Amino acid sequence: MIGDWVGFSVTKKMKASTFAFVVLLVYSSLLRIGADELDQSQQTERISGSAGDVLEDDPVGRLKVFVYELPSKYNKKILQKDARCLNHMFAAEIYMHRFLLSSPVRTLNPEEADWFYTPVYTTCDLTPNGLPLPFKSPRMMRSAIQLISSNWPYWNRTEGADHFFVTPHDFGACFHYQEEKAIERGILSLLQRATLVQTFGQRNHVCLKEGSITIPPYAPPQKMQSHLIPPDTPRSIFVYFRGLFYDVGNDPEGGYYARGARASVWENFKDNPLFDISTEHPTTYYEDMQRAIFCLCPLGWAPWSPRLVEGVIFGCIPVIIADDIVLPFADAIPWEEIGVFVDEKDVPKLDSILTSIPPEVILRKQRLLANPSMKQAMLFPQPARPGDAFHQILNGLARKLPHDSSIYLKPGQKILDWTAGPVVDQKPW
Amino acid sequence: MKLSVLQQNGNTRRSNSFRGNGPFDSVVDGFKSPAALFWLVLHGLCCLISLVMGFRFSRLIIFLLFSTNNNTSPSVTNHIFTTTRPLLTSTPTNVAAEGLTSQTPPSTSTTQNPHTALNRTTPISTGSRVVVGRHGILIRPWPHPDPVEVMKAHRIMERVQREQRIQYGIKNPRPLIVITPTYVRTFQTLHLTGLMHSLMLAPYDLTWIVVEAGGITNETASLLAKTGLRTIHIGFDQRMPIAWEDRHRLEARMRLRALGVVREQKLDGIVVFADDSNMHSMELFDEIHSVKWIGAVSVGILAHSGNPDESSTQKQDDENSPLPVQGPACNSSGNLVGWHTFNSLPYAEKSAIYIGDSATVLPRKLEWAGFVLNSRLVWKEAEGLPDWVKDVDTLERDGGDLESPLSLLKDASVVEPLGSCGRKVLLWWLRVEARADSKFPPGWIIDSPLEITVPAKRTPWPDATPEFLSVEKVGGTQEHIEKHPTKTSRVSRSKHGRHKKKRESKIVDKQVSRRRSEEK
């Protein structure tokens, strides 16, 4: 009998402990469910690229930039001649200059500077239609470099290896709008050692130097902000694109413009109700992008386009159709997770490619796009804000520090060839 | 677009290294016109030869003769009339060596021949698969929408929109309880269908309590069965009276009855009083989710007169008249200070008394439709019930004026103004009814045989037998035929009658042919 009683009390104890254990288990699982729900309702996700979680780094204190004082014929006077340079997609060079003049990274003492900036607006020679002509740009750049090399010793010290230049034109420092000619010319010989900050980026291309920083083209921030619509407007357009498919003026047969990719998009999908594509210029362009899930960003004459920036700002997943393109701030932003990359040869299967993306992946991309630091990184706001494109450029420059001691030339050593390039470019500007 | 202007300007503005009017560089730089003429002649000759031989002779020869340092696309197309690549047809690619581009007609199928020793890549960029130059435009064999892909895309869009609603729409949507008093009459189908569609569109859990005067009928039941919503159909024992005053009072009692059902079944959610002839916007259903206990929205009053003369004279007087809106009035800090009501003085003498009158139907001071309640207010015991609410049972027992839900409250100032403090009108009050004695086919199905059938005056069957010539009474819609009973009952197929009564005979024709088709 006692044995029974002992047995009974033991089992009772076990029951109590198991009961407590079960309660604990249930409670912890409930906690976990609560945590899951919290994660699901999270609207954005942190962005970290190959260089780590660097989008929100603050460059102040990590580098010092010295801005050369060039005579105003290189910058201000050009701008006065044509104020349209402030609004077109190459305006980054002008705004970068203005930003650096009043930024805390600027130093007036060139001895302590890590980087040297030359404010020369090479993309401000505009046609009546507003397109920049690059024919005088090499001469302008050469003249500016001659000036800084003769008035300050810092260029000759490294032959430009610690200098950076903003060259936002179509093919960067190749200074031509036609790809064949740009490849023929190559990067300006005087800039061989400098760091180039440019919008053009394509792997294994002459006009993209190793160590360049790719930036987004300029898009007017105020204009885009003023066209925002409520975020609960349902996204009812599957694929959206507005722009040319055939450049009838220069390439009437097609096949040359955009390497035939845009024409292929049109021919395959012009009657597809999922694809809202046309050449019209609607007044509701920005609003329509906010109602679309995918926005096509195919190459044109050059692989980059402001559509990428617009897509990111308006939360439309960019579908990038440009082989081997290098996107802005590629080391800070993991573009493969944010956009969809389609090879040019796969364009006829574009609808299958897009519909075969699992919905969770699409929702994740939208969450990444909704991250405000992502949107800020694509813009050039005035006045500058933390995390914007100016800061990303400075972060990129800071990541390249410290300079390798081999860039400093021994006295008398010369690497650059000042007479290389077409004869026309040797003329003074 | 970008380059064309550049081209033209580049040409007109002098840049010495730039020549030619195409986008391609000419190998023959700096040649004068005789040379150009020579090339033209040569090109023409080559074209003729290729016509004869069947492939692009000129291109091949010139390429082989003049190896350029241009970085061009590696493929040369050959006219091969045999098999094509199974997947793709492309418009022909060609080498953009000189400005002598010729385009083969796109209808011919071509293949790319990459191994003709002309694999040129840009000399500097090794390993790049991207080549400058002309490429083919890739078109798939059937460049039209694929229905499977379209369905998949729609499912993706649905999922994205659902996620958007979760993130930016109403969090924690509450179920709605919609209370509608109704009764069978001519306009019932019209009104109920409109309300039905609005409720089916609202993306929330819905319970629809329909209280029907005169007991449950098949008419209403069949309408409600179409919705797919959860409905509670209650019969109310009294028939709907003919005068508007009485009707308003009965409707209030019917609504109380429905509130009683809410109380019995302990339904949880937001109570909306949706009258069947009102029009509700979708924003209403979103906005009412923010109500805590009792809320009021602004109602647009569409007081309309069936009499055309009346409304025109009114327009002239009403330039400075207040707006036809009923609802909460707020002060600048957003607190409820009073009520906007509909000014019925201009209509005082001329308002409608009986349902179906052509005069203006006036609303009460504050319509039930402009209020929403938390259903817990009418429960017997609920936690957190505020002390300013009266019990629903006492209301029914005491009788009294049940003009608006404000009679449920001891203190009217606790009402929450919704729709940005009453500035947004979220629903519209309208009363449109036919005359009380108007008839309509039950269920709006013309089931039974029509009551007047008359032979068509121009039948294609000349031997119309007498059995089609029975004369019976038809429903009220065919009034104008009843006016001429003698004429139409005649068997005659006389032609002279035809011209005068063309309109009637047309309708009659249709009836007869329909009858015949039914009988067949």
Side-chain angles (χ1 to χ4, degrees), chain B residues 90-341:
Chain B
S90 52
T91 62
T93 63
N94 46 44
V95 175
E98 298 84 88
L100 311 168
T101 54
S102 62
Q103 178 80 345
T104 54
S107 56
T108 56
S109 44
T110 63
T111 57
Q112 300 190 354
N113 212 341
H115 53 265
T116 49
L118 301 168
N119 259 337
R120 295 188 164 281
T121 54
T122 63
I124 302 175
S125 60
T126 48
S128 167
R129 59 196 176 109
V130 182
V131 226
V132 189
R134 179 166 258 121
H135 292 244
I137 301 172
L138 306 173
I139 306 177
R140 63 192 192 191
W142 180 248
H144 294 294
D146 180 357
V148 174
E149 305 298 339
V150 175
M151 275 322 297
K152 278 202 239 173
H154 278 289
R155 263 178 240 126
I156 292 178
M157 284 202 277
E158 224 180 311
R159 180 71 188 86
V160 168
Q161 289 178 11
R162 198 174 359 131
E163 185 69 24
Q164 273 184 284
R165 233 177 293 141
I166 292 174
Q167 287 194 0
Y168 303 109
I170 306 279
K171 313 257 188 276
N172 312 318
R174 291 148 74 180
L176 302 180
I177 303 165
V178 183
I179 295 182
T180 306
T182 184
Y183 69 106
V184 178
R185 72 259 195 220
T186 308
F187 273 67
Q188 183 203 28
T189 310
L190 176 82
H191 294 319
L192 263 191
T193 310
L195 180 59
M196 194 165 91
H197 289 162
S198 302
L199 295 180
M200 282 160 78
L201 260 183
Y204 304 109
D205 290 329
L206 206 72
T207 307
W208 194 11
I209 304 182
V210 179
V211 188
E212 189 171 356
I216 297 186
T217 60
N218 284 337
E219 287 262 346
T220 320
S222 59
L223 269 177
L224 296 183
K226 289 190 222 169
T227 59
L229 299 168
R230 189 178 152 220
T231 48
I232 302 178
H233 192 179
I234 305 174
F236 200 79
D237 287 334
Q238 244 182 296
R239 292 184 66 95
M240 194 60 87
I242 305 182
W244 277 107
E245 277 291 321
D246 302 328
R247 174 171 155 169
H248 286 143
R249 246 177 272 141
L250 188 66
E251 281 179 352
R253 283 173 53 207
M254 287 158 78
R255 293 188 188 104
L256 273 189
R257 178 73 199 283
L259 284 178
V261 170
V262 171
R263 185 192 176 88
E264 279 163 43
Q265 299 193 9
K266 282 211 152 162
L267 295 175
D268 194 14
I270 307 174
V271 176
V272 184
F273 297 101
D275 299 338
D276 53 4
S277 52
N278 289 354
M279 171 59 69
H280 310 87
S281 72
M282 286 299 119
E283 281 98 43
L284 172 72
F285 299 115
D286 293 333
E287 187 66 30
I288 57 180
H289 274 80
S290 51
V291 78
K292 222 167 145 282
W293 290 113
I294 174 164
V297 290
S298 287
V299 183
I301 301 293
L302 302 173
H304 122 101
S305 162
N307 194 343
D309 298 329
E310 241 186 66
S311 52
S312 53
T313 49
Q314 268 174 4
K315 266 188 196 134
Q316 289 155 11
D317 303 333
D318 292 359
E319 271 159 357
N320 296 328
S321 68
L323 304 161
V325 172
Q326 246 184 28
C330 295
N331 62 5
S332 50
S333 47
N335 300 324
L336 183 72
V337 292
W339 301 93
H340 289 300
T341 58

Side-chain angles (χ1 to χ4, degrees), chain A residues 42-43 125-129 131-133 135 170 177-181 183-184 202-204 206 231-238 244 246-247 249-251 253-256 259-260 263-264 267-269 271-274 293 301 323-324 343-345 348-349 351-352 354-355 357 359 362-363 366-367, chain B residues 1-7 9-10 13 15-18 22-25 70-72 87-88 91 94 96 101-103 122 124-146 149-157 159-161 163-164 167-169 171:
Chain A
Q42 204 179 12
Q43 290 185 14
D125 183 16
L126 302 187
T127 69
N129 269 21
L131 302 164
L133 288 175
F135 304 118
D170 287 1
Y177 50 81
Q178 252 191 63
E179 193 167 358
E180 285 167 331
K181 291 231 80 176
I183 294 175
E184 212 181 288
Q202 189 174 314
R203 284 189 281 275
N204 300 323
V206 180
D232 59 345
T233 315
R235 288 189 186 261
S236 47
I237 303 175
F238 192 60
L244 289 179
Y246 292 93
D247 187 347
N250 296 308
D251 177 33
E253 304 154 340
Y256 203 89
R259 295 198 274 270
S264 179
E267 298 300 338
N268 281 301
F269 301 111
D271 57 355
N272 194 321
L274 299 173
I293 301 184
W301 287 108
D323 288 346
D324 282 349
D343 287 342
E344 288 164 29
K345 64 173 172 39
K349 296 185 265 168
D351 59 345
S352 320
L354 292 180
T355 54
I357 304 178
I362 294 180
L363 292 177
Q366 290 188 324
R367 275 201 299 275
Chain B
M1 189 150 69
K2 200 166 102 109
L3 268 198
S4 63
V5 180
L6 275 168
Q7 299 277 356
N9 284 324
R13 288 195 203 188
S15 39
N16 300 330
S17 59
F18 197 74
F24 318 113
D25 239 354
N70 267 355
N71 310 309
T72 52
L87 215 58
L88 303 166
T91 62
N94 46 44
T101 54
S102 62
Q103 178 80 345
T122 63
I124 302 175
S125 60
T126 48
S128 167
R129 59 196 176 109
V130 182
V131 226
V132 189
R134 179 166 258 121
H135 292 244
I137 301 172
L138 306 173
I139 306 177
R140 63 192 192 191
W142 180 248
H144 294 294
D146 180 357
E149 305 298 339
V150 175
M151 275 322 297
K152 278 202 239 173
H154 278 289
R155 263 178 240 126
I156 292 178
M157 284 202 277
R159 180 71 188 86
V160 168
Q161 289 178 11
E163 185 69 24
Q164 273 184 284
Q167 287 194 0
Y168 303 109
K171 313 257 188 276

Side-chain angles (χ1 to χ4, degrees), chain B residues 454-458 480-481 484 487-488 494-511:
Chain B
V454 177
K457 298 214 161 68
R458 291 179 66 204
H480 47 273
I481 295 188
H484 307 267
K487 283 265 181 187
T488 50
S494 55
K495 287 182 184 144
H496 58 257
R498 207 182 357 136
H499 301 291
K500 286 187 208 158
K501 314 253 179 358
K502 235 185 185 171
R503 236 177 103 235
E504 281 133 23
S505 57
K506 265 196 200 151
I507 298 168
V508 166
D509 286 355
K510 278 190 206 142
Q511 281 183 358

